[in-house]
Amino acid sequence: MDKIKINDEFFDIMPPEYQELVEEATYGKEDRGWKDVGVAKELIEEHSLCAGCPESIAFRYVLACLPNPQDTVMVGSTGCTSLVFPHVAIHNIHSLFGNQNAVASGLKRTLALRFPDKVKDVVVLAGDGATVDIGLDMTLQSWFRQEKFTTICFDNELYANTGGQESGLMQKGFVGKMAPAGKKFDKVPLPEIARDSGCHYVAMMTVSKPNRVEKAIRNAILVAREIGPTYIQLYTPCILEIGKQMMEGLQEMRDSEGPGKRFEFKEYISDEAKVFLDEVDAERKAKKKALRAARA
Amino acid sequence: MDTKSLVGTYNKKGQKIVEPEYMLFEAPRTQEFMTGSEVVKEGIRRASVDVSIAYPITPQSEAAALVGELYVEGYVGEYFRGENEFAVMSECAGASFGGARVFTTTSGPGTLRAYENFPMWAGSRLPILINVMVRGVNSPLSIQPDTLEMGMILETGMLIWHAETAQEFLDFLLAGFIVAEEPDVHIPIAVCIDGFFVSHTKDMVMLPPADITLTPYDPYRSPVPCMDMEVPPIRMMRDPFVMKSNYISYATHASWQQEVRAACERSRKHTIRLIGGLIEEERTDADILIVSSGTAVAQGREAVRLLADEGIRVGIVKIKTIRPFPHEELRQATKNAKLIFVPEFNVAGWMAREIKAILPDNERVIAGPHVCGGMTMPPEVIVKEIKKVLAGRKEAVHG
């Protein structure tokens, strides 16, 4: 890794935070993951979200679990995520509201064209309003076209950033702004739509279990890189808009992920992706075994 | 990568990479008889375009499809059909953010559906070249030529050029990439033509050879970072400006908007170098002038000829760049005129408003004649308008 270097002669006068970033960054570390949250400089240290917002921890998990952060470009959309991206040491594009999968399509193809011999990952991160309502056409069409990037939806079941208006992923019956008599139709089954629209890896869950989130994100990005589009839907409740306290976000997620609940864990893997992921797992296990043998 | 160093080398299609000046002024040319849509294909063939994204809408569909043929032939790196114009312009944005030279086309209602992207392109300093083949945007539905949509993109921050003929269209396409991509400009450019009149009409075009091409785009000459993670990432700011309703937010956004517009103004020197002046003048010592852009100028020339037969001497000023608007050039060119007619293919008369806004004694400016909704601009209509105003003047003096 020679991505970030400081000229030796200037090292001691650089801000300590920058020195730390250069020396301690997890860039290039194969086993980087959610456990680096809180110690690695390149992950979010501060954020401008509400205290206790589950999205802030989801955001950190996503960043910590990128397999290739030094060559990953993220595409966001208007919403609370766009308030955090400025704190992130990864190139990110926030262009308009709802067009994130279209922007990512152009970006991914250009990066493939310009860097044919290099892995460049593109990851879309947007809320449910951007993904499932205003941007649904572009979300779906990027999957139909088999664009090779991962779409992550932070599902908080409403338009959080604009103050809690009805979204397509809101639960039926929920009384929200613009749904004054309760939402009239069911939560849009986007994981199933994603599977049927050509996504090769789909997962839906809350972010209460970091190991599971880590595995899903890695799987999704690796499958997108090699095979085709992937989709992850994470419940990141907007505690402000559903009337919870700052310490209640985790419990809200746990209460919503049991059997038969809205965020019961779901995972769909295409046959092609399954073969690929089995190979990746076998390779990883062999590496670990070799490492253990070398230590012994 | 310094693209200048590529001059004289060959791309994978065997085209020799040449300086824009060679392409535009020195290369031998051969005469071809072709439509404006075919001009797009031949222009893009010689423009080292990396990515083009297409969507059908009349009258630009044929041009967008012909670029697809170039992709199959290997002259364009990436091409696909997007889902609608808003998405296409977003896809173009993504491609440009990633460091590609990007071309697309649109028309009328498509331009308006795409609209939200244009100020975003400009604000993000994406030097995308979009060819706008103008047509009606009104209801009842019309597919006929009308420049109303140009009036609607005036303040997006983009460069806007308006070609009169197929030849000018070709040259504007080639020069447009280079001007838009200059580091002190680096904003998108709309190269406009009048739909059907230029896009679907065959015209003589002098074509440079197909085995040369423009220097490719160098994303690292951009004044803002290319989104490819090839330069060390930085955390851009302590707090997102969108959060702040305070002076810092105001100062940032206001100065950036002014910078984008300043970039547009800075394009002048490159534009003059590659397409000549921002305007063209003919007989501007005449008391009566016709000032306009696009094919209205061509019809104006016919009107000048008809009026000359009747002993009325009229001059012409053709505006080539709508943004930047040629303020000073127009003031100089019209300083002796007593009457300035602005024929336009739209109901709004936005060009006349632009001219009135910058000229002294602007009661001289006659907003019209207008044809809107797809009618051609018969020279007789221009003649009639000029004679009507002149007769009115005589009545006022003698009556």
Side-chain angles (χ1 to χ4, degrees):
Chain A
M1 277 300 299
D2 57 355
K3 276 280 162 190
I4 307 173
K5 272 184 182 167
I6 299 177
N7 184 318
D8 290 342
E9 290 168 20
F10 291 122
F11 196 93
D12 60 334
I13 59 165
M14 291 299 281
E17 289 209 333
Y18 200 84
Q19 293 176 8
E20 203 182 317
L21 174 68
V22 172
E23 290 188 330
E24 307 293 335
T26 58
Y27 299 139
K29 208 175 123 192
E30 245 187 54
D31 60 343
R32 70 194 302 275
W34 73 270
K35 285 177 184 152
D36 294 314
V37 169
V39 290
K41 204 70 178 172
E42 72 281 11
L43 306 175
I44 311 166
E45 280 192 296
E46 305 164 336
H47 61 78
S48 27
L49 302 177
C50 304
C53 171
E55 183 172 301
S56 69
I57 194 66
F59 215 133
R60 289 171 201 226
Y61 290 161
V62 169
L63 288 171
C65 302
L66 298 173
N68 183 33
Q70 62 276 13
D71 279 303
T72 299
V73 183
M74 297 188 75
V75 182
S77 189
T78 305
C80 295
T81 54
S82 56
L83 306 178
V84 185
F85 269 129
H87 301 284
V88 177
I90 278 180
H91 281 161
N92 66 84
I93 297 170
H94 166 223
S95 66
L96 295 169
F97 187 49
N99 69 344
Q100 59 282 343
N101 282 49
V103 171
S105 300
L107 176 69
K108 177 65 191 187
R109 288 177 187 233
T110 290
L111 295 179
L113 198 64
R114 289 187 57 217
F115 303 98
D117 303 321
K118 206 168 182 178
V119 172
K120 293 274 182 187
D121 292 325
V122 171
V123 177
V124 164
L125 187 57
D128 47 306
T131 309
V132 186
D133 293 306
I134 193 172
L136 182 60
D137 177 17
M138 288 166 276
T139 304
L140 291 182
Q141 299 255 2
S142 72
W143 295 341
F144 300 157
R145 288 195 305 262
Q146 292 288 293
E147 302 285 354
K148 293 174 100 175
F149 60 80
T150 298
T151 303
I152 301 175
C153 172
F154 279 174
D155 176 9
N156 50 26
E157 304 195 298
L158 41 74
Y159 283 77
N161 197 244
T162 43
Q165 293 81 20
E166 179 190 301
S167 97
L169 289 188
M170 182 178 271
Q171 1 172 5
K172 187 176 181 179
F174 191 92
V175 176
K177 292 162 198 159
M178 300 188 188
K183 191 189 172 218
K184 301 287 188 196
F185 61 99
D186 281 325
K187 192 171 167 69
V188 174
L190 200 59
E192 288 71 25
I193 295 173
R195 177 195 58 197
D196 296 347
S197 303
C199 283
H200 293 270
Y201 180 87
V202 178
M204 181 164 92
M205 69 194 84
T206 77
V207 290
S208 72
K209 296 181 178 63
N211 278 334
R212 186 180 269 179
V213 177
E214 178 177 308
K215 196 169 178 211
I217 289 169
R218 286 189 67 88
N219 283 349
I221 292 173
L222 294 177
V223 169
R225 186 191 292 170
E226 298 297 330
I227 300 171
T230 57
Y231 174 63
I232 294 182
Q233 188 168 322
L234 299 173
Y235 182 38
T236 57
C238 176
I239 49 176
L240 195 71
E241 292 299 337
I242 62 172
K244 299 279 177 185
Q245 302 293 323
M246 60 183 280
M247 297 305 285
E248 293 173 342
L250 182 60
Q251 195 55 49
E252 166 62 22
M253 290 189 280
R254 285 179 175 157
D255 291 345
S256 312
E257 65 191 356
K261 297 282 180 63
R262 300 193 312 288
F263 290 94
E264 183 179 3
F265 177 67
K266 283 180 187 173
E267 193 179 50
Y268 305 123
I269 313 177
S270 73
D271 293 342
E272 206 181 345
K274 197 164 186 329
V275 171
F276 168 73
L277 287 175
D278 286 346
E279 282 169 13
V280 170
D281 271 352
E283 208 175 296
R284 191 177 296 165
K285 277 178 191 157
K287 261 190 190 170
K288 267 191 181 169
K289 202 175 163 188
L291 204 65
R292 271 202 302 272
R295 279 188 195 138
Chain B
M1 181 183 64
D2 171 17
T3 55
K4 292 263 176 196
S5 66
L6 296 175
V7 171
T9 66
Y10 293 82
N11 67 10
K12 64 177 182 181
K13 285 300 295 177
Q15 291 174 300
K16 191 175 181 180
I17 294 168
V18 299
E19 296 272 16
E21 287 82 354
Y22 179 81
M23 173 72 79
L24 287 162
F25 308 125
E26 296 164 29
R29 294 200 176 203
T30 49
Q31 194 174 56
E32 300 284 342
F33 190 49
M34 56 173 52
T35 65
S37 301
E38 289 163 343
V39 160
V40 169
K41 183 175 183 181
E42 293 313 313
I44 300 309
R45 190 195 298 279
R46 293 156 175 81
S48 299
V49 167
D50 299 305
V51 177
S52 184
I53 301 153
Y55 191 77
I57 186 167
T58 304
Q60 64 80 55
S61 304
E62 186 186 1
L66 290 173
V67 176
E69 292 182 7
L70 288 178
Y71 165 67
V72 172
E73 291 171 32
Y75 288 98
V76 171
E78 185 59 89
Y79 171 93
F80 66 101
R81 189 267 313 147
E83 47 271 57
N84 59 55
E85 289 87 351
F86 173 72
V88 164
M89 303 316 155
S90 304
E91 282 141 7
C92 287
S96 186
F97 271 120
R101 177 175 287 165
V102 183
F103 172 78
T104 190
T105 64
T106 192
S107 288
T111 310
L112 299 196
R113 175 164 281 197
Y115 198 95
E116 189 185 0
N117 282 276
F118 300 144
M120 183 272 286
W121 285 1
S124 303
R125 309 296 292 265
L126 304 175
I128 298 161
L129 193 153
I130 180 168
N131 163 229
V132 184
M133 295 185 169
V134 299
R135 71 167 252 200
V137 290
N138 54 294
S139 186
L141 182 64
S142 165
I143 58 164
Q144 301 303 324
D146 190 311
T147 56
L148 197 54
E149 71 192 273
M150 283 177 66
M152 293 174 178
I153 60 172
L154 286 179
E155 307 310 335
T156 55
M158 290 197 287
L159 301 171
I160 303 171
W161 295 0
H162 195 183
E164 177 192 348
T165 62
Q167 180 68 62
E168 200 166 59
F169 183 29
L170 176 86
D171 294 339
F172 280 15
L173 284 175
L174 293 166
F177 285 111
I178 303 301
V179 172
E181 291 166 7
E182 287 288 348
D184 59 345
V185 181
H186 220 273
I187 51 175
I189 178 166
V191 173
C192 305
I193 56 162
D194 298 335
F196 296 106
F197 298 153
V198 178
S199 62
H200 284 60
T201 308
K202 281 205 170 191
D203 199 357
M204 289 297 186
V205 180
M206 298 298 288
L207 271 184
D211 61 356
I212 60 171
T213 190
L214 289 178
T215 45
Y217 174 56
D218 175 4
Y220 303 124
R221 288 177 80 226
S222 167
V224 294
C226 177
M227 296 284 114
D228 60 6
M229 285 298 279
E230 289 296 304
V231 290
I234 52 161
R235 280 181 248 186
M236 289 184 288
M237 45 192 145
R238 169 61 183 78
D239 289 305
F241 294 115
V242 70
M243 287 287 279
K244 301 288 182 187
S245 299
N246 61 15
Y247 182 72
I248 291 188
S249 171
Y250 167 75
T252 303
H253 289 290
S255 60
W256 190 246
Q257 288 196 24
Q258 289 169 44
E259 162 56 15
V260 168
R261 279 148 184 82
C264 181
E265 288 301 314
R266 289 196 297 264
S267 70
R268 285 168 173 271
K269 57 183 178 292
H270 309 295
T271 307
I272 290 166
R273 174 167 59 91
L274 292 178
I275 67 165
L278 276 54
I279 64 169
E280 277 176 18
E281 301 178 44
E282 291 172 35
R283 292 181 297 281
T284 45
D285 59 335
D287 286 348
I288 303 167
L289 293 182
I290 293 171
V291 184
S292 197
S293 65
T295 58
V297 177
Q299 301 300 89
R301 275 197 204 91
E302 285 302 299
V304 167
R305 193 177 54 77
L306 293 172
L307 287 161
D309 290 345
E310 299 185 41
I312 303 170
R313 191 165 182 272
V314 178
I316 294 240
V317 180
K318 166 170 140 180
I319 298 175
K320 295 196 282 190
T321 66
I322 316 296
R323 287 289 180 272
F325 198 64
H327 307 99
E328 194 49 40
E329 292 88 340
L330 280 179
R331 282 187 202 115
Q332 285 302 319
T334 59
K335 66 183 180 209
N336 298 320
K338 295 189 171 62
L339 281 172
I340 299 162
F341 290 84
V342 187
E344 289 183 68
F345 283 111
N346 68 72
V347 69
W350 58 262
M351 174 69 87
R353 281 206 304 267
E354 293 282 307
I355 294 168
K356 277 186 176 177
I358 55 116
L359 289 189
D361 307 322
N362 69 3
E363 72 284 356
R364 296 179 296 159
V365 179
I366 312 295
H370 301 282
V371 291
C372 37
M375 188 177 150
T376 182
M377 174 73 73
E380 292 81 4
V381 171
I382 304 174
V383 169
K384 194 174 164 191
E385 180 79 11
I386 292 175
K387 286 168 74 173
K388 185 180 83 185
V389 172
L390 287 177
R393 293 269 163 130
K394 271 182 197 156
E395 269 176 31
V397 173
H398 303 294

